[in-house]
Amino acid sequence: MATKNVIQMKLRLILGDQLNLDHSWYKVKDQNTVYVIYELRQETDYILHHIQKIVAFFSAMRAFAKALKSQGHQVMYFDIGSEISKNSLSENIKNLITEKSISKFEYQLPDEYRLDDQLKKLCGEINIPSQSFDSEHFLTEREDLKSFFEGKKQLIMEFFYRNMRKKYDILMDHGQPLGGQWNFDKNNRKKWKGTPIIPNAYKTGIGSQNEILSAIQKARIKTFGNYHQEHYLFPTDRKEAFAQLEYFCNHLLVHFGDYQDAMHNEQRNLFHSRISFALNVKILHPKEVIETVVNHYYKNSRVIELSQVEGFIRQILGWREYMRGIYWREMPGYKSNNKLDNYNKLPDFYWTGATKMNCLHESISDSLDTAYAHHIQRLMITGNFALLIQCHPDEVDAWYLGVYADAIEWVQLPNTRGMSQWADGGIVATKPYVSSGSYIHKMSNYCESCTYDRTKRIGENACPFNSLYWNFLEDKKTHFSKNNRMAMMLRLLDKIPALEKQEIKERALSIIQNPDGY
């Protein structure tokens, strides 16, 4: 008697930040392979997200599913309105395996420890073979950074970055850095004073955002932040993402490096590319971004200086890959680091922007309106203040992970807990990134229309950052007593007269106890 052939069905899971159409999975169309994408409450609810972040993810995920279907792949897409959206990812996969008589389960390695752990446990619970695949996105493997720094006491990003430049032959000239130096960071610290003229940010088309917004509201997903179509700038697919990248090259790259650290109350975007969301959900590959920018520079080197380009490349080729390496080297313990013993609550104005401190009001209001802020606003305004008032890093992490559309834990956590809050004790940064009002004035026009006087340390109208800065150094000086990069500031702290130091302490404590009153 003939044996009936049983069709072997394969299920492949695609997560919301794995939208890479060039992945090798999609080279072959296979009618026995089903791809599944979920919009889940598990992902919308584990922290409080900005409304635009959820809209951006769902828009990109739906566009990706549509693109796969148009290529002839079998795709099952479950949106946030479906009943199963309330189930966990693991529960849904198990149910689908049973319903579709799946014989093998496959997934791409997640870039978040939480999901990586969840899927490993799931594979141990199902009774069919499973296999994980690389996401084919990053320029390094998970363990590369760990291997690179093996035996070294400090994980200096600059050394890692130089190695990446050599490895991929980016901005190199016969084995040496183009222009004779590796890093033009000192050229990238100009304050923007109204010129040169800043072109408008690239505006994406109107797609399914309003439909998704209605679905989110109907599902009663709790969010924060604002949604206005004119402020929504996140691409949904490769066509829009490449258009955004090309716009950056043609209109913004020429001045990017000079003003990449600048801040201004009338210019949210300045000369930034705004492609971080497209990169982090893998619509764009870092290599194609780097090649596009470098090729544009070589074709236009008469008008674009090397310093403008190197600063951008350093962020993609160096910092981004470095942060991912730190994440996988240090997790899961990294997430509980609190080396400075900070336990205060994050102020309520981080959720509203309602503060008289103009730099914080502008940066937070921008974030609430756009689900975006550039790196100096994140590091030296919102992060700086949170550290100076000694907030618990858990609270700071949750805000940063929720408020920005490009925030996925592998990149957010080491940037926030490490670079911004120094909660890792110096794994990422050799010193804490704290400052008084003088730095904010140096890099922005925020102080010009502020209630407080940036030149004063004490008194009711003194800039809160000033007293908080010196109080922070006093409170944490034992942590930094052997830190050479902090030695000069600690010596200056010792020179402040005892009476003035006491007044600084009193004002700082009043701010820490009631930051929402300032």
Side-chain angles (χ1 to χ4, degrees):
M1 183 175 178
T3 302
K4 184 178 181 180
N5 292 328
V6 178
I7 298 175
Q8 299 292 307
M9 292 296 294
K10 184 189 299 179
L11 178 65
R12 285 177 167 173
L13 170 68
I14 302 170
L15 298 176
D17 65 340
Q18 295 177 338
L19 311 183
N20 175 13
L21 276 173
D22 286 336
H23 195 279
S24 57
W25 268 4
Y26 314 123
K27 302 301 181 186
V28 178
K29 299 177 185 66
D30 181 1
Q31 291 305 304
N32 297 333
T33 298
V34 177
Y35 295 93
V36 63
I37 305 174
Y38 295 101
E39 296 175 5
L40 295 177
R41 295 300 295 259
Q42 168 189 305
E43 299 305 300
T44 62
D45 296 2
Y46 75 99
I47 61 161
L48 187 64
H49 292 286
H50 194 297
I51 180 60
Q52 288 192 44
K53 181 178 184 180
I54 299 178
V55 170
F57 265 80
F58 286 0
S59 295
M61 289 161 63
R62 293 183 184 191
F64 184 80
K66 184 178 180 181
L68 283 185
K69 288 178 181 177
S70 70
Q71 292 178 1
H73 297 287
Q74 290 194 86
V75 181
M76 299 183 70
Y77 193 99
F78 297 93
D79 65 39
I80 200 66
S82 62
E83 191 62 28
I84 69 167
S85 70
K86 299 174 184 177
N87 300 336
S88 71
L89 175 62
S90 300
E91 186 178 356
N92 283 327
I93 293 293
K94 289 176 182 178
N95 290 340
L96 200 57
I97 287 172
T98 301
E99 291 169 13
K100 298 294 181 181
S101 299
I102 299 297
S103 57
K104 187 179 183 183
F105 172 61
E106 297 180 346
Y107 66 96
Q108 295 176 31
L109 289 170
D111 289 306
E112 186 169 346
Y113 187 90
R114 172 181 62 91
L115 289 169
D116 191 65
D117 188 54
Q118 183 179 14
L119 287 172
K120 283 179 180 176
K121 289 177 180 176
L122 168 65
C123 291
E125 294 167 354
I126 56 180
N127 59 0
I128 60 172
S130 60
Q131 185 176 357
S132 62
F133 292 77
D134 192 271
S135 66
E136 301 177 9
H137 173 79
F138 292 95
L139 300 174
T140 53
E141 302 294 330
R142 281 183 179 181
E143 303 297 318
D144 281 358
L145 182 133
K146 181 179 180 180
S147 299
F148 180 77
F149 286 110
E150 193 71 44
K152 297 180 176 66
K153 292 183 178 180
Q154 289 186 310
L155 313 181
I156 305 299
M157 196 282 288
E158 180 67 20
F159 300 146
F160 174 80
Y161 166 57
R162 293 180 185 186
N163 182 66
M164 292 291 285
R165 288 267 296 273
K166 293 174 186 176
K167 180 179 178 180
Y168 286 96
D169 194 27
I170 303 297
L171 299 178
M172 299 296 291
D173 183 11
H174 297 91
Q176 296 300 314
L178 194 67
Q181 65 187 77
W182 291 100
N183 190 312
F184 289 84
D185 189 45
K186 291 182 180 178
N187 300 60
N188 303 154
R189 302 171 185 173
K190 292 183 180 179
K191 180 176 181 175
W192 187 74
K193 300 179 181 179
T195 57
I197 294 173
I198 301 174
N200 294 327
Y202 174 77
K203 187 74 174 72
T204 57
I206 298 175
S208 60
Q209 290 92 342
N210 289 332
E211 174 188 336
I212 292 171
L213 183 66
S214 297
I216 292 169
Q217 293 169 339
K218 187 176 180 180
R220 297 184 179 180
I221 296 170
K222 189 177 180 181
T223 64
F224 73 109
N226 308 313
Y227 181 90
H228 301 291
Q229 192 65 53
E230 64 269 24
H231 294 156
Y232 186 86
L233 298 176
F234 303 108
T236 59
D237 55 27
R238 282 180 64 79
K239 181 179 179 181
E240 286 190 345
F242 266 111
Q244 189 176 40
L245 177 59
E246 289 173 0
Y247 185 89
F248 168 69
C249 290
N250 293 327
H251 301 284
L252 303 169
L253 178 60
V254 64
H255 297 299
F256 169 78
D258 286 345
Y259 301 102
Q260 71 180 57
D261 288 0
M263 299 171 284
H264 197 279
N265 63 0
E266 295 178 1
Q267 291 290 339
R268 286 174 164 158
N269 301 289
L270 288 100
F271 297 97
H272 290 270
S273 67
R274 294 294 300 266
I275 65 165
S276 54
F277 171 78
L279 267 172
N280 290 355
V281 297
K282 302 180 181 60
I283 295 174
L284 292 177
H285 192 282
K287 190 173 182 180
E288 63 189 352
V289 171
I290 290 168
E291 289 176 348
T292 299
V293 171
V294 170
N295 289 339
H296 184 85
Y297 163 68
Y298 283 136
K299 292 176 183 178
N300 299 275
S301 58
R302 291 184 178 181
V303 293
I304 300 177
E305 297 175 356
L306 178 58
S307 61
Q308 315 297 338
V309 181
E310 187 279 321
F312 182 84
I313 298 302
R314 191 181 339 121
Q315 291 186 8
I316 307 296
L317 183 64
W319 196 248
R320 187 171 184 267
E321 298 285 334
Y322 173 80
M323 282 298 182
R324 176 176 180 257
I326 291 288
Y327 181 79
W328 286 108
R329 181 183 186 269
E330 299 297 329
M331 285 296 281
Y334 196 81
K335 196 170 182 177
S336 60
N337 280 336
N338 187 6
K339 298 296 186 182
L340 292 178
D341 299 318
N342 290 335
Y343 296 99
N344 290 328
K345 182 180 178 295
L346 195 69
D348 290 342
F349 65 69
Y350 273 71
W351 309 96
T352 65
T355 173
K356 293 181 288 185
M357 292 175 281
N358 195 50
C359 59
L360 284 160
H361 168 73
E362 292 288 343
S363 297
I364 293 172
S365 295
D366 284 353
S367 300
L368 295 174
D369 281 345
T370 67
Y372 169 83
H374 73 69
H375 63 287
I376 296 299
Q377 289 173 307
R378 300 187 198 197
L379 180 64
M380 298 308 300
I381 303 297
T382 51
N384 184 13
F385 188 80
L387 180 52
L388 290 178
I389 64 170
Q390 303 173 37
C391 288
H392 196 298
D394 285 357
E395 296 222 354
V396 185
D397 279 336
W399 187 79
Y400 275 95
L401 186 57
V403 72
Y404 296 121
D406 59 15
I408 302 170
E409 191 182 73
W410 68 265
V411 67
Q412 172 274 317
L413 187 65
N415 267 296
T416 304
R417 194 165 290 244
M419 183 74 168
S420 173
Q421 299 302 294
W422 215 77
D424 64 2
I427 293 173
V428 169
T430 53
K431 71 177 184 65
Y433 278 81
V434 288
S435 78
S436 64
S438 60
Y439 173 85
I440 298 169
H441 174 67
K442 178 183 177 183
M443 297 308 303
S444 77
N445 73 335
Y446 292 154
C447 301
E448 295 172 12
S449 54
C450 187
T451 300
Y452 299 104
D453 188 338
R454 65 176 177 80
T455 67
K456 294 182 179 180
R457 291 177 180 169
I458 53 177
E460 289 187 5
N461 71 329
C463 174
F465 279 85
N466 293 343
S467 58
L468 288 170
Y469 175 76
W470 293 106
N471 177 71
F472 175 81
L473 294 183
E474 178 69 26
D475 282 357
K476 308 298 182 182
K477 62 184 178 182
T478 56
H479 290 276
F480 306 125
S481 60
K482 297 180 181 180
N483 188 317
N484 291 332
R485 295 197 66 193
M486 297 294 289
M488 184 180 73
M489 299 314 298
L490 292 178
R491 286 195 297 269
L492 291 175
L493 173 68
D494 288 339
K495 293 179 181 179
I496 297 176
L499 181 59
E500 183 180 1
K501 192 179 289 187
Q502 180 60 34
E503 291 176 320
I504 288 171
K505 169 69 70 175
E506 290 174 359
R507 176 160 173 79
L509 287 177
S510 71
I511 298 167
I512 290 170
Q513 291 168 0
N514 182 28
D516 289 299
Y518 286 82

